[in-house]
Amino acid sequence: MIDKIKEHITDVKAFNATTKEEIENFRIKYLGKKGILNGFFAEFKNVPNEQKKDFGQTVNELKTAAQEKVDELKERLDSLEEEKGVYGDLSRPSEPLEIGSRHPISIVKNQIIEIFSNIGFNVSEGSEIEDDWHNFTALNLPEYHPARDMQDTFFIQTDPDILLRTHTSSVQVRYMEDNKPPIRTISPGRVFRNEAISARSHCIFHQVEGLYIDKNVSFADLKQTLLYFTKQLFGKSKIRLRPSYFPFTEPSAELDIYWGLETETDYRITKGTGWLEILGCGMVDPNVLKNCNIDPKEYSGFAFGMGIERIAMLLYQIGDIRMFYENDVRFLEQFKSSI
Ligand code: PHE
C-alpha cells in the first residue's frame, strides 16, 4: 500500500494543468471529500500497527504534495491572467505620463528668438566668463570709464581681466570679430551683475541682445524693427523712443511701449503713466565697429538689448523676480507650453 501512495506522490509532483477546471478536478481527485487521500485515511484503521507510522507519514507527504501542487498551479494561472489583463486590451487608454514644463524664461526666450528669426536674425551664443576686452573695452568702455559703474561686475578671483559677463554685448563683439557684415544676430544668454537681490532685480538674469550691421542701416530701420517686435510679442503697436546713454551706441535710446491703463496692475507697473520701459538700443558707435575691424565709413548698424525676466514678468504678471530661480514646481507647473 505504501508503494501505491508513493506512486501517487510521484504523479502529483509531475502533474501539470493550465485551466481552472483541470486544477479543480485534480483537487477533487486528491483532496476532495471522496478523494484519494480520504480513502487512505479511512484505510488507516486496517493498517497493521507496526506499519501505521510509515503509512501515516507517507499519506501526509501525499497530502502536502497535493496541496502544494494545487496552490502552485493556481498561483501561476492567476499571474498569467493578470498579465493577459495588462497586455490584453491594447485599445485601452494609456497610463497618464506627467509631462514636464519649460521654464518661463526659456519660453519667453524662445518666443523672442522666433520673432527675430522670422526677419532674418540668427542666434549667437558665447561664454559666461569673459575678458575685459569683450565685455568692456571693445564696447567703448575703456578702463576707468565712469560708465563701468553702471554694471557692477563680478570678477573671477583676483584677476581684474577675467569676469562674469555683465551683458551679452560681449557675444556681439565676438561675432563682429569673426564675421563680416551683413550681420543680423541675436544673442540670448545669462548675465551677472553684483546687485542686491530684491523683488525687482537679481544678480543673475537673462538677456537677449540684437545686432544689425550692413551698408546704410539707419535709425529708422531700428525703429521699425522694434515696432515689429513689440507688435509680435506684446500685441502693442504704440511705442516711443526716449533719448538715453550707452557707451557703445550713439545716439542711444530707451524703448517704451504703451501698455495702457485698464487695470489696477497697469497703474502699478507703469507708475500711472501707461508707459513701460522695455529695452535699450541705439546706433552702434563707430568706435565699437573699429574695435571689431569693421569700417565705420562703409558700414553702420543698430543694437538693442533687453532683460528676459522683466519681459516674462510683464507677460505673465509675475510680481517677484526671485520666483524664477526658486524652482518651486507649483510655480513652474503653470507654464506648460508648446514652444
Ligand atoms: N548692453 C546693454 C545693457 O546690458 C543693453 C544695450 C544693448 C543697450 C545694445 C543698447 C544697445 O544694459
Side-chain angles (χ1 to χ4, degrees):
M1 181 118 66
I2 287 186
D3 286 346
K4 187 118 187 73
I5 304 172
K6 283 193 172 150
E7 255 173 54
H8 277 303
I9 293 177
T10 317
D11 287 352
V12 163
K13 285 194 172 155
F15 180 74
N16 194 13
T18 47
T19 67
K20 253 195 186 130
E21 290 76 50
E22 284 173 327
I23 300 172
E24 184 57 9
N25 288 341
F26 172 82
R27 193 190 66 78
I28 292 168
K29 180 174 164 195
Y30 282 93
L31 300 160
K33 244 190 198 152
K34 294 180 182 156
I36 291 171
L37 268 155
N38 276 347
F40 285 128
F41 284 131
E43 210 59 45
F44 193 69
K45 56 183 186 299
N46 305 326
V47 175
N49 271 351
E50 68 277 14
Q51 284 179 25
K52 267 195 165 57
K53 192 176 161 212
D54 260 2
F55 180 85
Q57 268 175 1
T58 321
V59 174
N60 270 332
E61 218 179 289
L62 175 61
K63 187 180 171 189
T64 316
Q67 192 59 58
E68 275 176 5
K69 181 56 87 175
V70 170
D71 292 348
E72 176 200 314
L73 290 174
K74 269 193 182 157
E75 205 171 292
R76 215 176 53 209
L77 197 72
D78 279 353
S79 72
L80 265 171
E81 262 168 20
E82 217 169 86
E83 247 175 65
K84 241 197 228 156
V86 172
Y87 296 111
D89 180 7
L90 293 175
S91 66
R92 75 196 190 284
S94 60
E95 291 285 316
L97 275 183
E98 194 60 43
I99 294 174
S101 47
R102 275 198 205 288
H103 195 282
I105 297 298
S106 300
I107 297 173
V108 173
K109 180 184 86 176
N110 290 345
Q111 279 172 349
I112 297 171
I113 290 176
E114 168 108 9
I115 292 169
F116 282 103
S117 69
N118 285 343
I119 51 169
F121 281 74
N122 67 8
V123 175
S124 49
E125 288 179 319
S127 91
E128 292 173 355
I129 298 175
E130 260 304 351
D131 53 33
D132 183 282
W133 170 259
H134 292 95
N135 194 79
F136 288 129
T137 308
L139 287 159
N140 213 22
L141 274 150
E143 208 180 342
Y144 304 122
H145 192 291
R148 285 196 181 202
D149 286 350
M150 282 163 72
Q151 305 185 349
D152 297 310
T153 310
F154 285 117
F155 293 93
I156 302 282
Q157 293 184 336
T158 48
D159 187 346
D161 191 45
I162 306 293
L163 45 87
L164 294 177
R165 66 182 179 195
T166 59
H167 47 190
T168 55
S169 306
S170 55
V171 182
Q172 304 182 326
V173 173
R174 286 182 182 278
Y175 197 88
M176 286 188 276
E177 284 172 346
D178 296 343
N179 295 276
K180 296 238 157 317
I183 289 171
R184 267 181 303 214
T185 189
I186 52 168
S187 316
R190 188 157 57 163
V191 300
F192 308 82
R193 288 184 201 177
N194 191 359
E195 272 174 39
I197 296 171
S198 71
R200 304 214 54 81
S201 65
H202 208 284
C203 59
I204 301 177
F205 59 101
H206 297 77
Q207 281 191 325
V208 176
E209 298 221 354
L211 178 71
Y212 182 15
I213 296 185
D214 203 348
K215 287 178 180 152
N216 302 318
V217 176
S218 71
F219 201 89
D221 297 322
L222 169 62
K223 193 173 169 188
Q224 287 307 314
T225 305
L226 296 177
L227 179 61
Y228 155 79
F229 167 69
T230 52
K231 274 188 194 161
Q232 295 290 312
L233 190 65
F234 299 102
K236 312 260 183 199
S237 48
K238 195 163 151 189
I239 61 169
R240 72 180 181 194
L241 286 157
R242 258 183 307 108
S244 182
Y245 171 76
F246 297 103
F248 26 86
T249 46
E250 181 59 35
S252 303
E254 255 151 326
L255 173 80
D256 296 344
I257 58 173
Y258 190 71
W259 190 258
L261 281 173
E262 272 154 37
T263 67
E264 213 172 302
T265 317
D266 294 347
Y267 270 90
R268 188 170 45 78
I269 61 177
T270 67
K271 299 194 181 90
T273 65
W275 289 95
L276 265 183
E277 182 197 320
I278 294 297
L279 53 79
C281 58
M283 301 306 291
V284 180
D285 193 295
N287 280 340
V288 176
L289 295 178
K290 250 186 259 165
N291 287 338
C292 302
N293 304 319
I294 293 173
D295 183 359
K297 288 194 203 82
E298 200 180 341
Y299 293 104
S300 58
F302 64 73
F304 55 87
M306 65 193 103
I308 303 180
E309 277 80 352
R310 186 174 156 68
I311 290 177
M313 286 167 83
L314 288 173
L315 288 175
Y316 294 119
Q317 305 274 301
I318 295 164
D320 192 324
I321 196 171
R322 290 167 290 199
M323 304 277 265
F324 292 121
Y325 316 110
E326 276 163 9
N327 284 331
D328 185 332
V329 282
R330 291 167 302 179
F331 171 72
L332 297 174
E333 263 172 2
Q334 298 172 47
F335 298 96
K336 303 224 156 134
S337 147
S338 52
I339 298 195

